Amino acid sequence: MKYRRLDAKDHAREHFKGIWAACLNPWREDGSFNEEGFRSNIRHWVDDLSIAGLFIAGKQGEFFSMTLEERKRNIEVAVDECGDTAGTIFSASDQNFETVVELALHAQNCGADYVVVHAPVLHFVSQQDEMLYQYYKAICERVDIGIAMWSHPDSGYVMSPQLCARIAELPNIVAIKYSVPRPLYVELTQLAGDKIHVSTADEGAWLDNIEELGWQLYLCSSPPYQIQTKADQRMNEYTRLAFAGDFAEARRVRDSLDPVREAFRRTKPADKPQAHGKYWQELLGQVGGGVRPPMLDLTEAEKAATRAAFAASGLRV
């Protein structure tokens, strides 16, 4: 651990900022974890794209299809490969409480910087606030590592800004990935932005959130390595300009990426997000691979449409 439990918020305020990317996991043809490919991707993301930190084994990474040992190995590899050059945050999310604690302790012991814990799916529950507060409180009491909440509609509900602000008072809650409509994350920023980092995965809103809400952390999705290359780092550039206060130029650079965003968006099948993201990675020269059940791979026609859109997007490779 690089900090004590009671210092988690201060550590995150100083170190948990910039652009963090959610990693897709490369599987081999037989479905096994391609560790060498993952390491190769990390080297590109960190060395060539200067990504500040990586979100390991989240929904993008298909954690739901991984064994417990595979998830542990995923973070071990990332911590080893990132070293001191980039941060790591690991999804310890699970429906089983003891598994969450086990994964969070593993991340803590192998040198990860932070963990993410999704709001769990709750069956037969219509008033969940007290249950969720006690859930996060119990996790915080079992581990020292800084924890980022994650609230999204996949849980069957969305945590309110007021509940999130209450949980934010816990000593090692350091951030939230808040996958909600903008009015909700604006409200939470006003309520608890001095205690935790509030962030959302919408890259298109990142600049506005820096300018209007004072955000310092993009947490996190795949655009940092899907709309950027070693030769074309416009997301990094508009972020740098925004942090420097040059918002007019930052908006010009951000808006120049609209053709790339549109090419990615219109070729992504609604039921194949990971498969499409991995194929796009392959077009960029990264290691992609297939997906595991229950996810679906792209058809040849979908790949052809993606190739054509990629070639016409204006992204320099």
Side-chain angles (χ1 to χ4, degrees), residues 23-298:
C23 303
L24 291 155
N25 268 320
W27 312 131
R28 296 190 180 91
E29 288 188 9
D30 64 0
S32 61
F33 174 45
N34 185 344
E35 182 174 317
E36 295 76 17
F38 188 51
R39 287 181 182 274
S40 174
N41 284 345
I42 290 175
R43 291 270 53 83
H44 170 61
W45 299 336
V46 173
D47 296 342
D48 298 333
L49 303 183
S50 301
I51 293 174
L54 301 177
F55 179 15
I56 312 301
K59 292 193 295 181
Q60 294 274 16
E62 300 171 76
F63 82 92
F64 46 80
S65 72
M66 300 171 72
T67 68
L68 190 60
E69 290 309 311
E70 284 178 323
R71 293 175 71 182
K72 289 180 178 180
R73 184 58 184 162
N74 213 190
I75 188 60
E76 290 169 0
V77 171
V79 169
D80 178 61
E81 201 63 43
C82 286
D84 294 329
T85 57
T88 52
I89 182 168
F90 174 58
S91 176
S93 304
D94 200 86
Q95 283 300 105
N96 182 280
F97 177 82
E98 290 300 330
T99 299
V100 172
V101 173
E102 180 178 347
L103 287 168
L105 287 172
H106 184 75
Q108 174 178 307
N109 292 336
C110 75
D113 292 288
Y114 313 102
V115 295
V116 168
V117 177
H118 296 195
V121 175
L122 299 175
H123 304 284
F124 312 119
V125 173
S126 59
Q127 296 186 15
Q128 64 270 356
D129 283 17
E130 184 62 25
M131 184 180 297
L132 291 168
Y133 176 79
Q134 295 299 334
Y135 175 77
Y136 279 105
K137 181 174 182 287
I139 297 168
C140 286
E141 290 172 348
R142 295 278 296 274
V143 304
D144 295 327
I145 196 168
I147 298 168
M149 299 176 279
W150 189 357
S151 180
H152 49 72
D154 294 4
S155 297
Y157 59 89
V158 168
M159 294 164 62
S160 70
Q162 292 73 26
L163 172 62
C164 295
R166 182 186 177 200
I167 296 170
E169 298 286 345
L170 296 169
N172 45 335
I173 296 291
V174 300
I176 183 170
K177 184 176 179 181
Y178 207 22
S179 302
V180 296
R182 195 168 196 273
L184 293 180
Y185 66 67
V186 169
E187 184 175 1
L188 179 56
T189 303
Q190 294 166 344
L191 289 171
D194 60 332
K195 298 180 179 67
I196 61 171
H197 288 293
V198 180
S199 189
T200 195
D202 182 2
E203 179 271 328
W206 169 226
L207 172 56
D208 295 335
N209 292 331
I210 297 171
E211 182 176 12
E212 298 170 16
L213 301 177
W215 283 13
Q216 295 290 305
L217 172 66
Y218 177 77
L219 180 72
C220 49
S221 192
S222 53
Y225 57 83
Q226 289 177 331
I227 65 172
Q228 297 197 111
T229 69
K230 187 175 182 179
D232 190 345
Q233 297 186 30
R234 281 176 279 174
M235 185 179 179
N236 284 343
E237 177 64 8
Y238 82 67
T239 299
R240 183 190 66 78
L241 288 163
F243 282 165
D246 189 350
F247 294 109
E249 180 62 12
R251 281 190 291 274
R252 185 195 68 78
V253 176
R254 177 198 62 186
D255 294 348
S256 74
L257 279 166
D258 282 347
V260 183
R261 297 185 186 97
E262 175 61 16
F264 189 89
R265 184 200 64 77
R266 66 183 169 83
T267 58
K268 181 173 71 173
D271 57 343
K272 301 177 181 180
Q274 288 93 344
H276 179 263
K278 292 183 186 186
Y279 187 64
W280 191 275
Q281 281 184 267
E282 291 177 4
L283 297 176
L284 288 165
Q286 300 172 32
V287 181
V291 292
R292 286 176 170 178
M295 308 312 294
L296 299 173
D297 280 308
L298 297 185

